[in-house]
Amino acid sequence: MAVVLVGVDGSAASRHAVEYACFRAHKLDFELLIAHVIPWSPYSFSTPGENEFRSTQRSKELKAATEQVVEPMVSLAREEGVTAEGFVKHGDPIDLLIDLIREREATGLVVGRTGDSRVRQALFGSIPSHLVQVAPVPVTVVP
C-alpha cells in the first residue's frame, strides 16, 4: 500500500494537515507516516557540561515529542479509520523528511503552513517552502 508522509509540529496547521491527509487517504487508499523532527544541528555549540547530559536530554525530548506531538496525530488518523505510524527524530527537518520520503518510498508529502512572520520568512525561509522546492514527490501545504 502506498505511503504518504505527513510532517507535524504540534501546531493547528499540522493538525489540519493530518485531517486533510486522512480525507485523501480514504479516497486514494494509502497509509500515513506521521513524522516530527526536533531541530538539532551537530554544529551547535555546547559546553562540556551540556554534552555530559545531552544523551539523557535527547531521550527526554524524543519521549515528550512522541507523547505530545505524534501520538495524538496518529490516534486522530486511526480514529478516522486510516492506518498510521508515528516517527520522531532529531535533525534537520528538511533533510530528515526528504530522507524519510526516499527510505519509505512515500508517494506524497503533506505539511501545514505555519504563521511565520514575513520578516522571519524573508530571513530564514519556511520549511514548507523549502520542501516544495526540494522534495522528490508532490507536496501539499495545508493552511
Side-chain angles (χ1 to χ4, degrees):
M1 180 178 280
V3 173
V4 169
L5 177 63
V6 184
V8 297
D9 63 1
S11 68
S14 66
R15 181 181 177 88
H16 295 157
V18 172
E19 292 169 343
Y20 178 78
C22 288
F23 173 75
R24 299 299 297 171
H26 281 297
K27 300 261 185 208
L28 301 173
D29 194 28
F30 56 75
E31 298 176 356
L32 300 181
L33 174 59
I34 298 173
H36 175 68
V37 179
I38 302 168
W40 181 78
S41 169
Y43 306 109
S44 62
F45 297 98
S46 57
T47 66
E50 290 172 333
N51 285 339
E52 186 176 324
F53 299 104
R54 184 69 191 137
S55 178
T56 303
Q57 184 62 31
R58 286 173 57 112
S59 295
K60 288 180 181 177
E61 291 170 356
L62 289 171
K63 184 175 187 279
T66 299
E67 292 174 356
Q68 297 169 20
V69 178
V70 172
E71 284 181 355
M73 295 299 102
V74 170
S75 294
L76 173 66
R78 290 178 179 161
E79 288 169 9
E80 294 292 324
V82 174
T83 301
E85 174 187 351
F87 177 89
V88 178
K89 192 169 184 179
H90 285 91
D92 178 86
I94 294 166
D95 291 344
L96 273 176
L97 292 175
I98 297 300
D99 288 347
L100 269 177
I101 288 169
R102 291 190 171 117
E103 289 170 13
R104 301 295 294 267
E105 298 179 356
T107 58
L109 170 64
V110 180
V111 293
R113 185 185 70 204
T114 58
D116 290 340
S117 71
R118 288 182 182 211
V119 173
R120 180 175 162 74
Q121 284 189 10
L123 291 174
F124 305 110
S126 71
I127 290 174
S129 295
H130 282 118
L131 288 168
V132 166
Q133 294 175 16
V134 300
V137 296
V139 178
T140 302
V141 180
V142 178

